[in-house]
Amino acid sequence: GDSVTQTEGQVALSEEDFLTIHCNYSASGYPALFWYVQYPGEGPQFLFRASRDKEKGSSRGFEATYNKETTSFHLQKASVQESDSAVYYCALGDRASSSFSKLVFGQGTSLSVVP
Amino acid sequence: EAAVTQSPRSKVAVTGGKVTLSCHQTNNHDYMYWYRQDTGHGLRLIHYSYVADSTEKGDIPDGYKASRPSQENFSLILELASLSQTAVYFCASSWTGNTEVFFGKGTRLTVV
């Protein structure tokens, strides 16, 4: 079945550092790709998505580019802040807007940013 | 703003007992989901529903039942709770298709 792999389980950075969280997927079809963020005590929140090859998704200074060739959707941010400390989930779903979208999540990456 | 409310927010259950987790959404969404969150496994889909009075199995349905009595309400039922079902459970809702999924704040279930 479809799957998502996040390489880093935990990432520790200082404020203003550059962030990369790696996400690779395996899918039988041509999925849409998502990033969700989960703050302590909260449920995951949609960050952004990309639906086709080379499309860039972005929100709140975070961005990721859909790469069909390398089956990747790496999350990046140029300068992290302490408030970005959270768990980040990469996910894939169906591209067709009229069909059911079961999200398949990666294992999550816990980001800790210190001042 | 879209809202998914879960109750209770935390629960301690006895092994072999029955547990019911409730979820209510005011989003007018067709789809509702129950996910389980475990460290190292991320979020895994237990059951989902796209219409009232109908539920579907997700990826890890064993040991769980679901009930969707109305568009707004979706329950997860553990008939015989086991230690391995200790986890955080999230309810979520969405429109059809690859649209944004809205999650509740979660229920922390501890089975002792």
Side-chain angles (χ1 to χ4, degrees):
Chain A
D2 295 352
S3 66
V4 175
T5 300
Q6 293 178 234
T7 308
E8 300 90 356
Q10 296 185 35
V11 174
L13 296 173
S14 299
E15 281 193 328
E16 299 184 9
D17 280 352
F18 187 91
L19 168 70
T20 299
I21 297 176
H22 294 93
C23 171
N24 288 90
Y25 70 90
S26 173
S28 56
Y30 187 178
L33 300 174
F34 303 79
W35 277 102
Y36 279 76
V37 57
Q38 183 180 17
Y39 299 103
E42 301 287 328
Q45 302 173 14
F46 173 82
L47 196 53
F48 58 81
R49 79 165 185 255
S51 299
R52 56 188 179 277
D53 190 24
K54 298 182 178 55
E55 179 180 356
K56 178 188 286 187
S58 64
S59 176
R60 308 183 208 175
F62 293 90
E63 63 181 36
T65 300
Y66 194 138
N67 190 320
K68 196 166 182 285
E69 180 181 9
T70 60
T71 62
S72 65
F73 193 53
H74 305 318
L75 182 69
Q76 294 186 320
K77 186 175 185 183
S79 177
V80 295
Q81 302 300 311
E82 188 177 6
S83 59
D84 293 327
S85 297
V87 178
Y88 293 82
Y89 288 99
C90 184
L92 64 79
D94 199 311
R95 290 174 69 241
S97 61
S98 61
S99 66
F100 166 52
S101 178
K102 184 184 78 171
L103 290 175
V104 176
F105 286 88
Q107 303 93 318
T109 298
S110 178
L111 172 63
S112 176
V113 181
V114 296
Chain B
E1 185 174 316
V4 178
T5 305
Q6 295 183 230
S7 62
R9 292 295 314 281
S10 67
K11 183 174 180 64
V12 178
V14 177
T15 302
K18 182 176 181 178
V19 176
T20 299
L21 306 182
S22 299
C23 179
H24 179 80
Q25 56 110 349
T26 58
N27 304 330
N28 199 32
H29 287 163
D30 290 327
Y31 286 85
M32 295 188 75
Y33 315 84
W34 277 105
Y35 282 92
R36 169 177 172 154
Q37 183 179 53
D38 300 276
T39 303
H41 289 280
L43 292 151
R44 293 180 290 176
L45 183 64
I46 306 171
H47 285 287
Y48 65 95
S49 168
Y50 52 84
V51 67
D53 296 321
S54 177
T55 64
E56 305 292 334
K57 293 181 179 179
D59 297 321
I60 53 165
D62 292 346
Y64 303 95
K65 291 184 179 179
S67 173
R68 181 100 181 262
S70 64
Q71 187 194 35
E72 298 82 13
N73 296 293
F74 192 37
S75 298
L76 185 69
I77 303 145
L78 290 66
E79 294 279 3
L80 295 170
S82 67
L83 295 175
S84 64
Q85 293 177 312
T86 293
V88 179
Y89 293 85
F90 287 97
C91 178
S93 72
S94 71
W95 299 110
T96 187
N98 62 343
T99 55
E100 179 180 353
V101 176
F102 293 87
F103 286 84
K105 291 182 180 294
T107 295
R108 182 173 298 276
L109 174 65
T110 303
V111 182
V112 297

